[in-house]
Amino acid sequence: MADWHVPQGPFDIPEVPDFVPRRLKPWLFILFVLVIQFSGGVYLAAVSDMVGTTALMQEDILMAGYASLVGMAINFAVMFRIKFRFSTRTQLIAAGFVLMAANIICAHTSSVPLLVATCFVAGWFRMQATLACNSTIQLWLTPVRDMAVFFCYVYIVVDSVIQLSGMATVYTTFLAQWEYMHWIMTGLLALMILAVTILVKPLRAPMFIPLLGIDWLGAAVWAGFMLSFTFICVYGRYFDWWEAAEIRGATLIAIACLALNLWRATFLRHPYISFRAMTNRNVIRATAVYLVFFTLLATEHVFEHSYAAVILGYDETNLIDLNWYALTGIIAGCAFTYFTFALRKWRYKTMTATAFALAACYLAWFYFFIDYGVEKEALFLPLFLRGMASVTLSIVFLTSIVQSRLPFQVFPQALTINGFTGAVMGATLGPAIIGELLTRTMARNASLLGANVTALNPDMTFTSIGQYYGMVQTQALVVSMKEIYGWLLMVSLAALLTILISYGNVRPFAVFPKWSTVRRSIRHAVRTTSQES
C-alpha cells in the first residue's frame, strides 16, 4: 500500500471557495468533525437521568449507545466506495440531516427497537462524515501520508470528544434537562449544514464510481451478528445469562449470522468481509491484544463509577469532573505516541509493552490505594494512566492494520474487524466479564462478612440488622474491587512479560496510497464486477 506522495505547492482545499483564507480551510473541516463527533444519538453520560424520566432501563440506553459503535464499525468496509460516489458536500449535508433526526428521535422516543435502530444509522453516517472531513485534510496533517501521524490526530479528536461530550451532557443536565443536550446538538448540526452549503462546493471526484458489487446482504448479516453479540454482553447479567430465553435466542442469532457470513465468504467473489481480511496476521494479533487489554481496562465501566459514587459519595458533577483527568491522559498519550512512534519510529513491541505497563500501573494504584477516604485529586494519576494507555495501544494497532500488506480492496474490511474488536467488543465484552466476576466475588465476600457480623453480635435488633447489612455490602464492594484489581494486575504483568520476551523488530512504515491510486483500484474492481455480472 506504499505509494509515496511528494506535495506540490502549498496545501489547499478546492471544495472551499477562495474567499476563505487558505490557512483557515483545514480548521473549518476540523470544526465540522467536532460537531459530528459530538452527535452520537444517545449520550451515555445522561443514562441515570434518562432512566429516571423514561420507561427505559440502563441496559436499553447502553444497547443504543453501543449500536452506534456497531454502525460505525460496519461502515468501514464501504466508506471509501461512498467517498468516491458522492461529493464531500453531499456526504456532510446528508450526515447532518440524519444526525439531526437522530437527536430529535432519541430525545422523545421510549421505544427500544427504534432507539437502537436510530443510533445504528447515526453511527454509520457519523463515521462517513468523519471520513469525508479527515480525508480532505489528510495531506495537511501529513504530506507524506504517514498513517501513524494521521491516527494520532484521529484519536486525539475522537477520544477527547468522548470525554468532553460526557462533561457537556452532565453540565447541561445539571443546569436544565438531559433533552437540552439533544436540542443543542440539533442546532449546531443545523449551523454546520448551513456552513457546508455556503462554504463547500459540490465538486465530484474525477472518476464517477457507482456503488456496484457491494455485498449489502453481507453487511446486514454482519450487523446482525455484532448487534446480537452486543445484546448478550449488555443484557447478560440482567437476564441471568443463558438461563433466559432472550439470551439463548440472541446467541442462536449470533451463531447463525456468523455461520452464514463464513459460508457466503467461501463462494462470493467480493464478500463484505473476506477470509483474507479475517486471517491476516496483523488483524488476528490486534484482536487478541484488544481482548486482553480492554478486559484489563474494563474496570473503568464497572468499578470507577460505583467506587466514586457509592464509596466516596460523589454526585454527578463531581463524577464527570474525573473526565478531565482521563482527557489529560489521552492528550499526553497522543503526544507521546506522536513523538516516539510516528516520528522516531519506535517498534510496535516497545509501544505495546509501554501501553501494558501503563495499564499495570493503573491497576496497581487501585489495588494498593483503594480506600474509603481517597481524595478526589488522588484519582488523577490512575485515570491519567488509563487514558494514556488506551489511546497509545489504539493508535499503534490501527497503524499495524494499515501496514498489514493487504490489497486496498481488502484493507477496509480489516478496518471493520478492527473497529468491531477494538470499539464494540472493547466496550461490551470486558465489562460483561468483569461485572459478572464482581457479582460473584461480592456475593461470596458479603456472605463471609455477614456471617462474622452475626457471630459477633447475636442479639441484634431488626433495625441494627439493616444498618449492619448496609455496612457489610459497602465493605464487600471495596474488598471485592481490591481482589479483582489484584487478579487483573497479575494478568497485566503476565501479558507484559510475554510481550517483553517475544521477538519483534518491526517499526511503523504505514504510508497511505494517493487518492488517485485508490480511486483507480476501486474503479478497476467495479469494472471487473460489472463485466462478470
Side-chain angles (χ1 to χ4, degrees):
M1 292 181 61
D3 188 356
W4 200 264
H5 174 81
V6 179
Q8 301 292 329
F11 177 80
D12 194 16
I13 301 176
E15 290 97 330
V16 180
D18 291 335
F19 64 78
V20 178
R22 179 173 292 180
R23 292 185 177 181
L24 294 181
K25 291 182 180 181
W27 294 101
L28 179 66
F29 281 85
I30 290 178
L31 180 61
F32 294 159
V33 168
L34 292 176
V35 174
I36 291 164
Q37 285 296 312
F38 264 93
S39 306
V42 297
Y43 298 92
L44 297 182
V47 62
S48 59
D49 296 277
M50 293 181 69
V51 169
T53 58
T54 66
L56 299 171
M57 301 186 303
Q58 178 175 335
E59 288 80 5
D60 299 330
I61 300 167
L62 290 175
M63 182 67 198
Y66 295 145
S68 177
L69 298 180
V70 174
M72 293 178 65
I74 286 292
N75 175 265
F76 278 116
V78 293
M79 61 182 181
F80 294 108
R81 293 292 304 273
I82 297 174
K83 171 182 170 58
F84 294 121
R85 171 60 180 82
F86 302 101
S87 67
T88 300
R89 184 175 188 264
T90 300
Q91 293 176 63
L92 292 179
I93 292 177
F97 279 115
V98 170
L99 293 174
M100 284 178 63
N103 272 282
I104 295 172
I105 292 172
C106 291
H108 291 89
T109 186
S110 295
S111 169
V112 178
L114 178 59
L115 198 64
V116 170
T118 299
C119 290
F120 176 84
V121 174
W124 173 288
F125 279 89
R126 184 169 63 159
M127 184 66 248
Q128 190 62 47
T130 300
L131 172 74
C133 293
N134 288 341
S135 61
T136 301
I137 62 174
Q138 185 187 67
L139 289 179
W140 177 67
L141 295 165
T142 168
V144 295
R145 302 178 188 270
D146 188 338
M147 298 308 289
V149 174
F150 181 67
F151 290 145
C152 289
Y153 152 77
V154 169
Y155 273 96
I156 200 172
V157 170
V158 173
D159 283 14
S160 295
V161 167
I162 292 174
Q163 306 299 323
L164 291 172
S165 66
M167 290 185 280
T169 302
V170 170
Y171 294 147
T172 301
T173 303
F174 177 75
L175 296 173
Q177 303 178 63
W178 63 268
E179 292 94 341
Y180 277 60
M181 185 64 187
H182 292 271
W183 290 114
I184 291 171
M185 291 314 305
T186 300
L188 290 176
L189 286 165
L191 292 176
M192 185 198 77
I193 293 172
L194 179 62
V196 171
T197 304
I198 297 173
L199 300 177
V200 180
K201 295 185 290 186
L203 297 183
R204 300 185 98 180
M207 290 188 294
F208 176 78
I209 303 179
L211 297 178
L212 298 176
I214 297 177
D215 180 21
W216 294 112
L217 176 60
V221 178
W222 276 112
F225 165 73
M226 295 181 186
L227 289 172
S228 300
F229 180 92
T230 304
F231 180 91
I232 295 169
C233 293
V234 172
Y235 287 94
R237 277 191 293 160
Y238 176 80
F239 286 119
D240 196 17
W241 299 103
W242 287 272
E243 296 295 326
E246 291 85 352
I247 300 300
R248 292 197 297 269
T251 303
L252 290 176
I253 293 174
I255 294 173
C257 289
L258 181 61
L260 181 59
N261 276 316
L262 295 178
W263 173 67
R264 296 178 77 251
T266 60
F267 62 84
L268 285 183
R269 182 176 178 85
H270 299 293
Y272 201 76
I273 300 178
S274 64
F275 282 117
R276 189 167 184 181
M278 288 185 276
T279 59
N280 180 264
R281 182 179 180 183
N282 286 12
V283 173
I284 295 174
R285 182 187 293 115
T287 299
V289 172
Y290 285 150
L291 289 176
V292 176
F293 185 81
F294 287 110
T295 300
L296 295 176
L297 296 187
T299 51
E300 169 195 357
H301 305 280
V302 182
F303 288 174
E304 290 180 12
H305 186 277
S306 298
Y307 174 64
V310 178
I311 307 302
L312 301 182
Y314 293 166
D315 58 15
E316 286 295 326
T317 54
N318 279 288
L319 283 172
I320 205 63
D321 284 343
L322 300 178
N323 281 27
W324 288 111
Y325 302 163
L327 176 61
T328 307
I330 289 169
I331 295 172
C334 290
F336 171 77
T337 309
Y338 173 75
F339 287 109
T340 58
F341 183 68
L343 297 186
R344 299 179 64 86
K345 304 301 179 185
W346 281 18
R347 295 179 299 168
Y348 285 98
K349 172 183 174 180
T350 304
M351 299 302 298
T352 305
T354 301
F356 271 88
L358 292 170
C361 292
Y362 157 74
L363 296 169
W365 190 97
F366 274 106
Y367 176 72
F368 289 109
F369 296 106
I370 189 172
D371 201 355
Y372 296 97
V374 175
E375 296 291 335
K376 183 178 178 180
E377 291 73 16
L379 296 174
F380 171 81
L381 181 60
L383 301 188
F384 174 89
L385 294 173
R386 170 171 60 76
M388 186 174 180
S390 177
V391 75
T392 298
L393 189 97
S394 298
I395 294 171
V396 168
F397 277 91
L398 184 54
T399 306
S400 74
I401 300 299
V402 181
Q403 202 170 340
S404 59
R405 298 181 181 178
L406 288 170
F408 194 83
Q409 293 85 348
V410 181
F411 163 67
Q413 303 169 12
L415 291 182
T416 293
I417 299 174
N418 184 80
F420 172 65
T421 56
V424 181
M425 292 181 68
T428 58
L429 181 61
I433 295 173
I434 300 302
E436 181 65 18
L437 183 60
L438 175 63
T439 300
R440 296 176 179 274
T441 306
M442 189 172 172
R444 172 171 52 82
N445 288 330
S447 177
L448 294 174
L449 291 170
N452 293 333
V453 170
T454 304
L456 295 173
N457 300 275
D459 299 325
M460 289 189 298
T461 64
F462 182 79
T463 303
S464 60
I465 289 176
Q467 294 174 346
Y468 276 115
Y469 179 78
M471 294 172 58
V472 165
Q473 290 298 311
T474 302
Q475 180 66 22
L477 178 61
V478 175
V479 171
S480 301
M481 286 181 178
K482 190 179 185 72
E483 182 177 338
I484 295 174
Y485 273 122
W487 284 108
L488 294 177
L489 175 59
M490 287 189 286
V491 173
S492 66
L493 293 175
L496 178 60
L497 179 62
T498 302
I499 294 169
L500 292 176
I501 64 177
S502 64
Y503 177 78
N505 62 351
V506 180
R507 299 179 185 274
F509 187 74
V511 180
F512 201 78
K514 294 180 181 179
W515 288 114
S516 58
T517 304
V518 174
R519 196 178 295 115
R520 285 195 300 268
S521 175
I522 295 176
R523 182 69 173 177
H524 174 72
V526 172
R527 188 184 300 113
T528 303
T529 303
S530 301
Q531 292 174 353
E532 291 176 351
S533 59

